[in-house]
Amino acid sequence: MKRIAALSLAAFLSIAGRVAAQDAPAPSLAELFNRAKGQFTHGAYEASLSTLQTLDEEGRKPEFETSRKKLESAIAFYRAVNLAALGRTAQARAAFEAYVASSPSPAARLDPGTYPKSVVELYRSVRGEGSRGRESGEGGLAEEYARFQRSAPVPPLPIDEKWADGALRFLNSKSEKEDWKRISDPVTRAEFVAAFWQRRDPTPETPENEYRAEIERRVRFADSRFNDGEAKGSGTDRGMVFVLLGPPSYIGQRPLMPEDDAVQTLRAAPLLEPRSNPDGSTRLVYAPRDGLTTEHLQGTRDVWHYRRDRLPAAVRFAEVEFEFLTKRGYGVAVLQRDPNVLTTLELAAQGPDQSND
């Protein structure tokens, strides 16, 4: 009897398991894509390729065909980076070419802090950059600024009623901003500005205020480099970071993917739906759904990496990443303000005593 009972229990558990498997929600295309991306991030390149293959096959079902087309460029991108990381260069090149051809806004460059060197180099080659793709590496913006520094001297910033409201608003303390609001005549403004820079002069014994010269040079460079429509370059998020910290150690970029959009991710989650049983009763089961809307997600995520030698001395992080998100309907190069970023900017705004410059 015990043996029969044991066999009956095993049979019951087996049947229950099959029923549970039938009721378990099939992963949506977005979930499969997130799984593949996570596997790549953790270095499981073969597993990521396998998941992408499953995603590709599931996406060919009639009910998912539209969603699959929207993910086509993203699938090609992650298939390419996996293949490149595995050293399968010819296949990776073909996948990168498919990604560039299918994406309305392919990444200009890949972030070397996120992708293996072999992936970054192959993508540069596909994009026709070869060894000239310096913006992703140690050159780029830093070299551009170095050339700007060697050019003709920049004139001092004009001292008018907008002086404290422009790029230098990041450097003014709360009390200085209040004092500035009470000033109405040009002579007092000039005296205020002279005292402002004198308090921040790292070498008061010399005739030149090196800190003032460097900040004003950064402002002029930012105005010429980061203009965004009517906004001055130094007034943009990138301009703010550049004025306070100077050029980053290196810059990377990756395309904006559907999973970066929280709304899209929520829309892709499976829902509980009522289903009819043969006896006429009703049960609730999880049903996968197509969470991708007809809106075509386009954009990029640029990352400025600041290593230890380019950070304020008081910042204890080995490296700080400043992410700028560009997305239709969201903005151009909008800084993502996480705690490390805010702390770094706050310390940099305190002046040369806190800086390695």
Side-chain angles (χ1 to χ4, degrees):
M1 289 293 294
K2 289 183 179 180
R3 179 177 175 78
I4 293 174
L7 288 173
S8 299
L9 178 59
F12 172 78
L13 291 174
S14 175
I15 294 170
R18 288 197 298 271
V19 171
Q22 291 172 355
D23 285 346
S28 66
L29 298 191
E31 289 172 325
L32 285 169
F33 181 78
N34 284 336
R35 183 188 304 170
K37 181 183 175 185
Q39 289 165 332
F40 168 79
T41 301
H42 290 92
Y45 306 129
E46 291 285 6
S48 182
L49 283 172
S50 178
T51 302
L52 289 173
Q53 180 63 30
T54 301
L55 191 161
D56 201 43
E57 293 168 357
E58 286 293 310
R60 295 188 186 282
K61 294 179 179 179
E63 64 269 29
F64 292 136
E65 183 64 23
T66 301
S67 297
R68 182 191 171 280
K69 288 181 178 179
K70 294 174 187 174
L71 278 171
E72 207 164 49
S73 65
I75 294 170
F77 176 81
Y78 272 97
R79 181 176 288 119
V81 295
N82 277 299
L83 290 168
L86 289 167
R88 292 152 66 176
T89 306
Q91 292 173 288
R93 179 179 292 276
F96 269 138
E97 290 171 351
Y99 159 67
V100 172
S102 63
S103 175
S105 55
R109 54 195 176 275
L110 298 186
D111 188 347
T114 302
Y115 302 99
K117 184 178 179 180
S118 59
V119 175
V120 175
E121 292 297 328
L122 181 59
Y123 187 67
R124 287 180 185 172
S125 175
V126 170
R127 294 283 286 171
E129 298 175 6
S131 60
R132 294 181 294 104
R134 299 284 292 169
E135 185 75 5
S136 302
E138 287 72 18
L141 195 60
E143 290 182 352
E144 190 178 340
Y145 183 58
R147 289 193 297 272
F148 183 84
Q149 288 177 305
R150 294 192 295 267
S151 62
V154 298
L157 298 177
I159 302 173
D160 53 25
E161 65 276 4
K162 297 180 181 179
W163 178 85
D165 299 325
L168 298 181
R169 68 185 183 277
F170 311 123
L171 299 176
N172 278 273
S173 66
K174 183 178 180 180
S175 60
E176 286 172 328
K177 290 176 182 177
E178 293 298 323
D179 291 341
W180 177 262
K181 290 178 182 178
R182 290 191 287 267
I183 299 175
S184 58
D185 64 284
V187 174
T188 309
R189 285 196 195 105
E191 293 173 349
F192 176 95
V193 171
F196 172 90
W197 289 118
Q198 187 176 12
R199 286 191 293 271
R200 291 161 172 81
D201 189 351
T203 55
E205 67 278 4
T206 64
E208 183 182 10
N209 186 331
E210 298 84 359
Y211 180 68
R212 176 179 184 175
E214 174 62 16
I215 291 296
E216 293 191 329
R217 188 180 294 113
R218 291 179 186 176
V219 171
R220 296 291 190 182
F221 178 82
D223 282 340
S224 66
R225 183 62 166 77
F226 305 120
N227 281 339
D228 178 18
E230 297 181 359
K232 273 191 170 184
S234 59
T236 64
D237 282 354
R238 286 181 298 178
M240 171 186 65
V241 174
F242 191 91
V243 169
L244 291 176
L245 294 173
S249 303
Y250 62 100
I251 295 175
Q253 185 187 79
R254 70 173 177 83
L256 193 62
M257 298 298 184
E259 80 277 7
D260 293 317
D261 191 321
V263 174
Q264 296 280 21
T265 302
L266 286 173
R267 285 173 177 166
L271 289 178
L272 276 174
E273 293 184 354
R275 297 288 171 85
S276 298
N277 293 318
D279 61 2
S281 61
T282 302
R283 73 184 190 282
L284 291 176
V285 298
Y286 280 100
R289 60 176 177 156
D290 176 10
L292 301 175
T293 66
T294 55
E295 178 187 16
H296 203 71
L297 186 64
Q298 299 181 36
T300 57
R301 187 183 295 275
D302 288 84
V303 185
W304 289 14
H305 298 262
Y306 284 86
R307 292 179 178 143
R308 172 68 264 151
D309 61 327
R310 299 203 180 188
L311 290 171
V315 175
R316 301 307 178 190
F317 314 121
E319 181 176 305
V320 180
E321 297 179 352
F322 291 78
E323 293 192 353
F324 300 93
L325 185 64
T326 297
K327 179 186 171 185
R328 186 174 58 187
Y330 180 70
V332 176
V334 178
L335 178 63
Q336 307 303 290
R337 289 164 165 79
D338 67 35
N340 289 359
V341 163
L342 295 177
T343 297
T344 301
L345 293 176
E346 181 181 355
L347 291 171
Q350 292 178 12
D353 289 342
Q354 298 291 340
S355 175
N356 286 336
D357 289 342

